[in-house]
Amino acid sequence: MAKKQTAGRDNLGDFAPKFAELNDDVLFGEVWSREDKLSARDRSLITVASLFTQGVPQLEAHMKIAKQNGVTKDEMVELITHLAFYAGWSKAWSAFTLAKEIYGD
């Protein structure tokens, strides 16, 4: 079962309360919790792949979540290597820097 997410409320609750609610309650509370449809591990792989291709800062947080959800270092390395050919070599270098920090050298 997915843990209760509060990042939306913690970071944007006062500024954008509806967005924070949708983030915490709908995206993470409802969608991520449907593990009978897709495991948290698989959702993490998909999410990291999507964020990698976009080159957005949320990649770091979701890479950490992926590790918590059971994505191994070898799987993360393979994901980044594979996507380097489709999303860009420089994005792969950036992602590998994050992966090394999160998974260790």
Side-chain angles (χ1 to χ4, degrees):
M1 178 142 168
K3 85 173 193 183
K4 175 91 170 132
Q5 180 63 257
T6 62
R9 286 183 178 86
D10 293 347
N11 293 296
L12 294 172
D14 292 336
F15 188 75
K18 187 61 178 179
F19 182 86
E21 174 190 342
L22 292 169
N23 182 81
D24 295 350
D25 299 343
V26 177
L27 175 58
F28 286 97
E30 294 178 25
V31 176
W32 273 82
S33 67
R34 295 186 339 213
E35 292 190 36
D36 61 320
K37 307 290 184 204
L38 196 62
S39 71
R41 179 191 170 283
D42 291 349
R43 286 184 197 278
S44 282
L45 284 169
I46 293 164
T47 302
V48 167
S50 176
L51 296 173
F52 169 95
T53 63
Q54 297 173 66
V56 296
Q58 291 84 356
L59 176 60
E60 180 178 2
H62 277 279
M63 207 179 273
K64 290 176 182 176
I65 292 169
K67 183 179 179 184
Q68 293 169 357
N69 286 337
V71 175
T72 67
K73 173 189 154 261
D74 290 341
E75 290 169 327
M76 187 60 67
V77 167
E78 190 62 24
L79 179 142
I80 295 167
T81 301
H82 184 78
L83 287 175
F85 290 94
Y86 295 94
W89 211 252
S90 59
K91 288 180 183 174
W93 274 99
S94 297
F96 276 128
T97 300
L98 287 174
K100 281 180 69 176
E101 291 172 12
I102 293 165
Y103 285 90
D105 294 321

